[in-house]
Amino acid sequence: MRVFKFGGASIKDPQAVRNVLHVLQTVGYENSLIIASAMGKTTNALEDIINAYFKKPEELKNAIQIVKNYHLEIMNELFENKNHLVFDKVNVLFGEMEFFLSMNKSPNYNFVYDQIVSYGEIVSTTILSYFFNEQGIETIWIDARNMIKTDTTYRDGMVDWEKTENNIKNQIQSEKLYITQGFIGSDPNHFSVTLGREGSDYSAAIFAYCLNANSVTIWKDVPGVLNADPRYFEDTVLLNQISYHEAIELAFYGASVIHPKTLQPLQRKEIPLYVKSFVNPTLPGTSVSKGADLEPATACFIVKKDQLMVSISSKDFSFIMENQVSDIFKMFAEQHIKVNVIQNSAISFTVCVDDKFGNFENIVEDLSNNFNITYNENVSLYTIRHFTEEAAKKVIADKTVLLQQINRETMQIVTKE
């Protein structure tokens, strides 16, 4: 089987949905599994619902109606028959979501988040399945939560591979076209669990691994994997080929085209990954497989905005010992604060971290009891793979450099704009 993944941008409006139909008709869809994300910016809109639920209940009804109206407008354009079953199906799904909000007793934000946000993918794939069927492409809709089983780490679920593989092998047959959701699975009690932001790519890899798929194709609005984000860099270069190793390195440092967890299961079974354009589906795009690290050989730039640079030093000029470092990193891990750069000296060390859940302030007081703490907010972390002097100059131009670190292949620079 082949696994196709379509992200939110590829199904953001009726025209985009029709284009996905065109892509399938162009490249073929037999023996395939489609993984789809929520439509457009639906995940953000569902996050607004969650925030209203916890903080601004007077805005909850309106926040829900915005999401409903967005999907209704798409369905009204895609389906001429306004009595089509899809309208009832989607209405029932939103009814389930509202029922959960009315009955929920859990104060756990992450738990509530996963129960609500998962409806983005459930609704989008329901609409897609009915539309494809009406257009003559017969699909079988399956609920990813019945397939991918995880632990109870809400918003960043750990996959139970044995149960997941058994479920997928037992319920998916070749020679048919299936459509299912990215980003979501379920815990042992069948509550929804998300796999981390941008986890739809990871979902595609999970299904591909369990099905021994021939390939995975991620359909994007770019021609493939570029050596830099065109939003921040000019004169970007299309990478024709990337090795698994290089792609994992790029993903580790934050390259947004490929989710960090996606590559490991594919590499284990040497399943090639293609990143292709849904605008021009016949173009070759980028292949990620065994082979040359990079083709063409060029510097690759990765930027992570809104980082936090934290400097921790001893109060009495004593060495910071290994057990103290261990305790500090344990705090970071417990608060889901990702450390991207480490630089140390005898009595201090500095880290650049991604505090995506806003939890750093929870540990500042504890750290301050034993150490001197200084930090800079809203800094940018630039990583240059296969760096050159010219590449470094391009990054630091007109910026204040707070930290710079170099190893054999990689340069990392923390800057303040």
Side-chain angles (χ1 to χ4, degrees):
M1 295 186 75
R2 296 178 300 170
V3 176
F4 293 156
K5 181 261 175 174
F6 291 95
S10 66
I11 52 172
K12 64 183 180 181
D13 55 34
Q15 182 181 353
V17 172
R18 292 190 181 98
N19 183 65
V20 170
L21 180 71
H22 168 70
V23 170
L24 296 176
Q25 291 168 333
T26 301
V27 302
Y29 48 82
E30 296 80 9
N31 306 337
S32 299
L33 171 72
I34 296 170
I35 307 279
S37 300
M39 290 176 153
K41 300 294 184 182
T42 296
T43 300
N44 293 339
L46 290 167
E47 288 174 346
D48 291 341
I49 290 174
I50 298 159
N51 290 331
Y53 173 76
F54 278 105
K55 299 176 182 177
K56 299 179 180 178
E58 70 278 4
E59 297 179 8
L60 179 59
K61 185 176 180 181
N62 183 59
I64 293 171
Q65 197 60 48
I66 288 171
V67 177
K68 285 183 173 181
N69 289 344
Y70 170 66
H71 289 88
L72 183 60
E73 288 173 11
I74 292 175
M75 290 189 293
N76 278 332
E77 271 204 56
L78 292 177
F79 300 93
E80 291 184 10
N81 177 10
K82 304 313 173 195
N83 294 317
H84 196 288
L85 182 59
V86 69
F87 291 92
D88 289 335
K89 279 283 188 180
V90 169
N91 194 46
V92 167
L93 291 172
F94 283 125
E96 290 175 3
M97 184 183 76
E98 291 177 89
F99 180 74
F100 169 81
L101 289 172
S102 69
M103 299 299 291
N104 173 62
K105 304 299 182 188
S106 173
N108 184 336
Y109 180 93
N110 291 339
F111 170 76
V112 174
Y113 182 99
D114 279 3
Q115 309 321 302
I116 299 304
V117 166
S118 60
Y119 278 98
E121 279 71 17
I122 298 294
V123 171
S124 70
T125 53
T126 298
I127 294 171
L128 290 174
S129 181
Y130 276 106
F131 178 69
F132 293 155
N133 287 338
E134 189 170 78
Q135 298 299 314
I137 297 181
E138 185 178 344
T139 63
I140 300 172
W141 185 93
I142 52 176
D143 191 333
R145 295 171 298 183
N146 294 334
M147 304 287 165
I148 297 176
K149 305 305 291 186
T150 73
D151 64 1
T152 56
T153 308
Y154 300 107
R155 298 186 72 182
D156 197 15
M158 295 287 291
V159 174
D160 183 325
W161 282 95
E162 183 177 353
K163 290 180 180 178
T164 297
E165 190 165 8
N166 286 335
N167 291 338
I168 290 173
K169 284 183 174 179
N170 290 335
Q171 298 183 56
I172 295 181
Q173 306 165 16
S174 59
E175 301 180 3
K176 295 182 179 180
L177 175 63
Y178 292 84
I179 184 166
T180 192
Q181 307 78 37
F183 187 45
I184 63 174
S186 68
D187 69 13
N189 295 313
H190 205 65
F191 287 111
S192 299
V193 179
T194 61
L195 305 177
R197 199 67 190 265
E198 308 301 333
S200 291
D201 291 359
Y202 185 37
S203 296
I206 293 168
F207 277 96
Y209 179 90
C210 296
L211 292 167
N212 294 311
N214 289 336
S215 64
V216 173
T217 302
I218 297 174
W219 295 96
K220 307 282 286 188
D221 57 358
V222 291
V225 179
L226 305 176
N227 74 321
D229 189 329
R231 293 176 298 176
Y232 306 117
F233 294 91
E234 298 177 355
D235 305 320
T236 57
V237 176
L238 174 66
L239 304 175
N240 302 316
Q241 153 73 27
I242 312 176
S243 69
Y244 290 118
H245 176 268
E246 184 65 28
I248 288 172
E249 290 281 359
L250 292 172
F252 171 79
Y253 288 115
S256 60
V257 174
I258 303 171
H259 190 276
K261 295 179 183 175
T262 300
L263 295 155
Q264 291 162 331
L266 298 180
Q267 189 272 335
R268 285 203 297 270
K269 289 192 176 179
E270 296 188 0
I271 299 169
L273 169 68
Y274 300 99
V275 181
K276 301 183 70 172
S277 167
F278 59 71
V279 179
N280 297 294
T282 58
L283 295 179
T286 301
S287 67
V288 182
S289 59
K290 290 181 69 176
D293 274 352
L294 282 176
E295 164 38 48
T298 185
C300 295
F301 301 84
I302 302 153
V303 58
K304 300 184 81 168
K305 300 284 188 177
D306 302 320
Q307 301 289 290
L308 190 68
M309 194 176 84
V310 185
S311 294
I312 302 170
S313 60
S314 60
K315 289 185 173 182
D316 59 359
F317 291 94
S318 62
F319 292 158
I320 296 180
M321 305 305 292
E322 288 82 355
N323 63 318
Q324 295 171 306
V325 173
S326 175
D327 290 341
I328 292 167
F329 276 84
K330 183 179 179 182
M331 288 185 192
F332 286 150
E334 289 172 347
Q335 294 296 328
H336 303 287
I337 298 170
K338 185 178 185 299
V339 178
N340 295 315
V341 178
I342 307 167
Q343 192 172 85
N344 66 293
S345 68
I347 61 171
S348 70
F349 71 94
T350 298
V351 290
C352 183
V353 301
D354 193 348
D355 183 25
K356 65 181 179 179
F357 298 130
N359 290 339
F360 179 67
E361 61 184 37
N362 295 341
I363 62 173
V364 169
E365 185 176 349
D366 286 342
L367 288 171
S368 299
N369 289 334
N370 300 306
F371 305 98
N372 293 317
I373 307 295
T374 59
Y375 56 90
N376 297 83
E377 299 177 293
N378 301 316
V379 301
S380 298
L381 170 62
Y382 290 87
T383 301
I384 312 173
R385 287 282 295 164
H386 313 291
F387 65 91
T388 63
E389 187 175 335
E390 181 183 353
K393 286 180 180 178
K394 182 189 293 189
V395 165
I396 64 177
D398 303 319
K399 302 180 184 72
T400 300
V401 176
L402 302 178
L403 180 150
Q404 182 172 308
Q405 189 162 276
I406 299 173
N407 65 28
R408 190 174 298 171
E409 291 284 348
T410 305
M411 174 183 287
Q412 292 191 283
I413 306 169
V414 179
T415 70
K416 191 76 174 175
E417 305 294 331

